[in-house]
Amino acid sequence: MAIVLEMKGITKQFPGVLANDNISLDVREGEIHALVGENGSGKSTLMSILYGLYQADKGEIYVRGKKVDISEPRVAINLKIGMVFQHFMLVEPLTVAENIVLGSELKRGPFLDYDQAVKEVERLSASYGLKIDPHAKIEDLSVGLHQRVEILKALYRGAEILILDEPTAVLTPQEVDDLMEVMRSLRENGTSIIFITHKIREVLAISDRVTVLRRGKKIGTKDTADTNAQDLAEMMVGREVLLRVEKTPAQPKEEVLQVNDLVVKDSRGSIRVNGASLSVRRGEILGIAGVEGNGQTELVEAIAGLMRPQSGQIMLSGKDITNWSPLRIKKAGLGYVPEDRHKRGLVLDYSIADNLILGLHADEPFCGVMGFHSRKAIMDNASKLVEKYDVRPPYPQQRAGALSGGNQQKVVVAREFNQDPELLICSQPTRGVDIGAIEFIHQQVVAQRDRGAAVLLVSAELDEILSLSDRVAVMYNGRIVAVLDREEADEQKLGYLMLGGSLEDYKAGGGNSHVG
Amino acid sequence: MLDRVKKVPVHVIIAPILAVILALIVGSAFVLTVGENPLHAYKVLFQESFGSMRGFATTLQRATPLMFTGLAVAFAYRAGLFNIGAEGQVYIGAFAAAWVGFTFSNLPKLIHLPLAIVAGMLGGAIWAAVPGILKAKLGIHEVINSIMMNYIAYFLTDWLVLGPFAGSSWIPESPRVKASATLTRLMPPTRLTTAIYIALAAGLIVYLILWKTKLGYEIRAVGLNPTAAEYGGISVAKTMVIAMAISGALAGLAGMEQVLGLNNRFIQRFSPDLGFMGIAVALLGKNHPVGIVLAAILFGALQTGAAAMDRLTAVPRELITILQGVIIFFVAAEYLFSRFIKVKGEA
């Protein structure tokens, strides 16, 4: 099959993070090419470069053998590259046909030729097997159909190379099946599809080839037929131990956190945590391994009081903190490094100094008479922490949003660790963080453990779990399916459990068979 | 280095100034169409509003209620809320102040006046808290329900001055407020009153609350990143209600000024869109008290000079409306400037 697209040596540097490091990728005509990797691995950046949203610092792109310079999305569209984003861009009150032709309308005089638009949509819909009612209004359709409209929109503009950015993330299982049908039918029509996902099951179900990225680097491209779930999982989360953390054996004491049969629903009402139980002891690090999206986020947010559990119980230092407010839980001894520092951990428009008191802003010594803040106390605190946690540049007045990812994370870590919490939750503590900062943060996590904190670590990086944890819990489908001592855990076993295999099967020799 | 990172971004200051200059240039095209020399027209305009103490006093008097409503809109905006209901809060605040003013008698001014002022604040605060609570508890958008609250305020006060609290004249208005509840005139015969001091103090207090207190920290955090605020233990719902109430109190002060300073009674539908003008003032003033005071003075000056320009030149007073509109247009298109300034800075 002919190669329709080639990206060679793409490199893109963002402040503090090398998002794409010399990545090459080729896509053949009429293939489904899966692009996988955890969040922050560089998939979206790479595709944004292909679609003209970002410019690469280095590297070349060839479309149908010709070198091209994709300076903006219009150029990509002219090259017959289409992209369907995770967040759809449709006009709700307009019909399907109107949305599809929007921006390149068929005109009859100054007016939209609606009948012709409907015919065009019907023709596309028939030839690609994408069933849709052209007269339906967008606001009346499901998310799955919205996505279908977006795909038709790209096809209407002549897309022959279609980028689908995590298309399954927003879909129900039934809708995922429908989407896969659509993708197959597109492939039969000769369309090349770049399918971004981090769900291994989907990769194996539909793709022809798969390229794995990790931390901005390409790990490899394989024919899907020649690989399996475990192989891919290892490529995604990393086999080689990049980072060695110096630590002494744990000396665990009494239990600080106990979670019993916790059930948590997300805002759409689907159950994300389904009867999870675990405990963490003073002086140990419990790592939660698992493929993202198996309920880790919701588990942690429920413990922090930011999501309401449906049922179950959470105990912190012997107190039942279920349904307590986030502030009360914090005061009871929780330190929490959230997985998304932009959404939760920082107010980017606040200075470093002001971010360093978030959650403490109503307390002594920062808040004094009549609710007035003490600038001096805030600045003293900031100068101390900026130095101790090596935040660069070390200017407390600097806007947090102007810092690199690693230094933003150090601000969050400084604030949470400095409170000497009883329980410390670190969720993806080194995501999007440069290597130097990773090492530093890892050392600090171990120091917290040695001080006597109970540490709950959630990470999609198996390396990180294995190098930091004293015990490893595996989360799958909303449950803690296994808890292993560090000595019992290795990549193979964890990879097997992470994909839904059971410990019994693994011990019976199932570790060599396929899962998923 | 510390000074460098602390400095306000250039475009925050330059863009509004540029907007005003550009608006004056665009306005001069209209002046030319009526066959007048723009420089002459503007000279007459600003001579009237800034050229004499008396003119300047009138400018300040016109600016006073706009300072209040501008601060009101900006305060809510800092919490991420668009208080488009300042107009209704002006009316309710005005009526509350008037009611205290005409109901109680034989009170010393030292008690009566502060009481009426506080009533104005409370009226506005309660009126604004309603959409705040609806937003915080039920997620109903504050723009929708604060607009609806405006209409309730119009018709409620219509009824009050036509029915239970009708004054003695044939105009739909309340009884006169007692002398003990009126603001003192600073420079008769101009109608500039001590309300200007209250407005400037309000600007200072807003500044202190927003940037020097725990409450302001929470309000701005909620406005900038509500999910991070929640993570930081801040009750987003409570903070929104408080911010709306304070915003309403500020708008209520504008109504208070109209009643206790200017008209000495509540007149049906008295407001020349003070609440809506507040949006423009806040926008031009970049939601900062200093900017708002200056923007309000500019708008006050335009209004003051309008009559003179109408009288002494061929330019009709409606030019002022055009200027205000064009200023807002250019402020809203600010990103064009910031881009322009940035490109120039890099070159």
Side-chain angles (χ1 to χ4, degrees), chain B residues 2-70:
Chain B
L2 273 182
D3 316 85
R4 221 164 81 195
V5 288
K6 217 179 152 178
K7 217 161 74 179
V8 191
V10 172
H11 67 87
V12 170
I13 295 167
I14 289 187
I17 295 171
L18 217 54
V20 172
I21 293 170
L22 280 172
L24 291 175
I25 292 169
V26 171
S28 54
F30 290 93
V31 177
L32 286 170
T33 58
V34 296
E36 187 62 76
N37 177 357
L39 288 178
H40 177 60
Y42 289 143
K43 194 179 154 207
V44 171
L45 177 72
F46 288 111
Q47 201 139 46
E48 178 70 14
S49 43
F50 292 112
S52 65
M53 276 315 282
R54 218 168 123 169
F56 186 56
T58 304
T59 293
L60 286 182
Q61 185 274 315
R62 302 239 188 200
T64 306
L66 297 178
M67 289 180 194
F68 287 125
T69 53

Side-chain angles (χ1 to χ4, degrees), chain A residues 105-164:
Chain A
E105 295 92 343
L106 302 152
K107 301 259 177 67
R108 189 167 50 198
F111 302 106
L112 168 69
D113 188 344
Y114 187 68
D115 295 336
Q116 192 57 39
V118 169
K119 271 189 207 136
E120 194 64 24
V121 171
E122 279 168 347
R123 186 187 63 75
L124 276 174
S125 153
S127 61
Y128 288 98
L130 289 152
K131 271 178 248 137
I132 195 108
D133 172 11
H135 300 288
K137 283 191 178 166
I138 296 297
E139 58 198 1
D140 299 330
L141 300 178
S142 68
V143 174
L145 289 175
H146 286 178
Q147 191 171 57
R148 189 168 292 187
V149 175
E150 286 281 10
I151 293 174
L152 280 164
K153 214 162 100 181
L155 294 172
Y156 174 75
R157 288 168 191 186
E160 291 172 1
I161 301 165
L162 191 59
I163 307 164
L164 302 179

Side-chain angles (χ1 to χ4, degrees), chain A residues 336 343 350 354 361 371 373, chain B residues 212 214 217-218 227 230-231:
Chain A
Y336 174 31
K343 184 180 160 215
Y350 272 8
D354 280 345
H361 59 273
H373 268 165
Chain B
K212 301 290 171 196
K214 158 188 164 276
Y217 180 94
E218 297 191 337
T227 47
E230 188 191 13
Y231 160 90

Side-chain angles (χ1 to χ4, degrees), chain B residues 254-276:
Chain B
M256 176 284 296
E257 184 272 341
Q258 295 281 293
V259 168
L260 306 182
L262 193 66
N263 302 324
N264 291 341
R265 78 206 79 180
F266 182 100
I267 304 172
Q268 185 196 24
R269 307 283 175 118
F270 65 85
S271 164
D273 284 346
L274 291 173
F276 296 110

Side-chain angles (χ1 to χ4, degrees), chain A residues 7 10 12 20 45-52 54 56 61:
Chain A
M7 299 179 85
I10 302 291
K12 176 77 184 173
N20 283 172
T45 305
L46 186 66
M47 288 302 108
S48 299
I49 288 169
L50 178 57
Y51 197 59
Y54 294 140
I61 301 176

Side-chain angles (χ1 to χ4, degrees), chain B residues 91-109:
Chain B
Y91 275 100
I92 298 299
F95 189 84
W99 183 80
V100 170
F102 63 68
T103 302
F104 298 98
S105 45
N106 301 323
L107 284 178
K109 189 162 189 161

Side-chain angles (χ1 to χ4, degrees), chain A residues 73-310:
Chain A
R74 200 171 44 79
V75 178
I77 292 168
N78 288 340
L79 290 165
K80 300 188 186 303
I81 297 171
M83 184 155 178
V84 175
F85 294 91
Q86 275 188 60
H87 301 283
F88 304 139
M89 296 159 198
L90 299 171
V91 186
E92 296 259 318
L94 297 187
T95 67
V96 168
E98 284 167 335
N99 266 283
I100 288 174
V101 301
L102 192 69
S104 41
E105 295 92 343
L106 302 152
K107 301 259 177 67
R108 189 167 50 198
F111 302 106
L112 168 69
D113 188 344
Y114 187 68
D115 295 336
Q116 192 57 39
V118 169
K119 271 189 207 136
E120 194 64 24
V121 171
E122 279 168 347
R123 186 187 63 75
L124 276 174
S125 153
S127 61
Y128 288 98
L130 289 152
K131 271 178 248 137
I132 195 108
D133 172 11
H135 300 288
K137 283 191 178 166
I138 296 297
E139 58 198 1
D140 299 330
L141 300 178
S142 68
V143 174
L145 289 175
H146 286 178
Q147 191 171 57
R148 189 168 292 187
V149 175
E150 286 281 10
I151 293 174
L152 280 164
K153 214 162 100 181
L155 294 172
Y156 174 75
R157 288 168 191 186
E160 291 172 1
I161 301 165
L162 191 59
I163 307 164
L164 302 179
D165 187 8
E166 300 209 21
T168 57
V170 292
L171 302 181
T172 64
Q174 177 55 42
E175 288 174 328
V176 171
D177 291 344
D178 291 346
L179 174 68
M180 297 224 167
E181 271 311 303
V182 168
M183 288 166 70
R184 285 194 190 98
S185 126
L186 288 172
R187 173 169 60 186
E188 273 161 35
N189 280 278
T191 308
S192 307
I193 298 174
I194 301 175
F195 172 44
I196 303 180
T197 183
H198 54 238
K199 294 178 188 155
I200 292 170
R201 204 179 313 118
E202 294 168 358
V203 174
L204 294 172
I206 192 143
S207 70
D208 300 300
R209 288 195 300 157
V210 48
T211 293
V212 180
L213 303 184
R214 188 170 78 233
R215 288 199 184 276
K217 285 201 175 66
K218 174 169 155 175
I219 303 302
T221 298
K222 290 196 168 181
D223 285 336
T224 309
D226 299 340
T227 183
N228 60 42
Q230 243 169 307
D231 191 20
L232 286 177
E234 277 169 21
M235 286 171 81
M236 272 168 78
V237 297
R239 190 200 303 250
E240 77 276 39
V241 178
L242 289 167
L243 312 146
R244 232 168 260 291
V245 183
E246 297 285 325
K247 68 181 175 83
T248 54
Q251 294 179 343
K253 307 216 168 57
E254 77 279 8
E255 285 185 351
V256 172
L257 174 73
Q258 283 167 290
V259 176
N260 299 320
D261 291 323
L262 197 71
V263 176
V264 185
K265 284 185 181 174
D266 65 13
S267 55
R268 293 172 70 193
S270 32
I271 293 180
R272 306 310 301 262
V273 179
N274 193 4
S277 299
L278 59 84
S279 73
V280 191
R281 293 170 295 179
R282 180 179 305 285
E284 74 166 354
I285 299 173
L286 176 74
I288 296 186
V291 177
E292 266 184 88
N294 274 287
Q296 299 94 318
T297 305
E298 292 79 8
L299 171 69
V300 163
E301 294 262 297
I303 296 172
L306 292 161
M307 278 181 103
R308 296 241 140 187
Q310 209 68 24

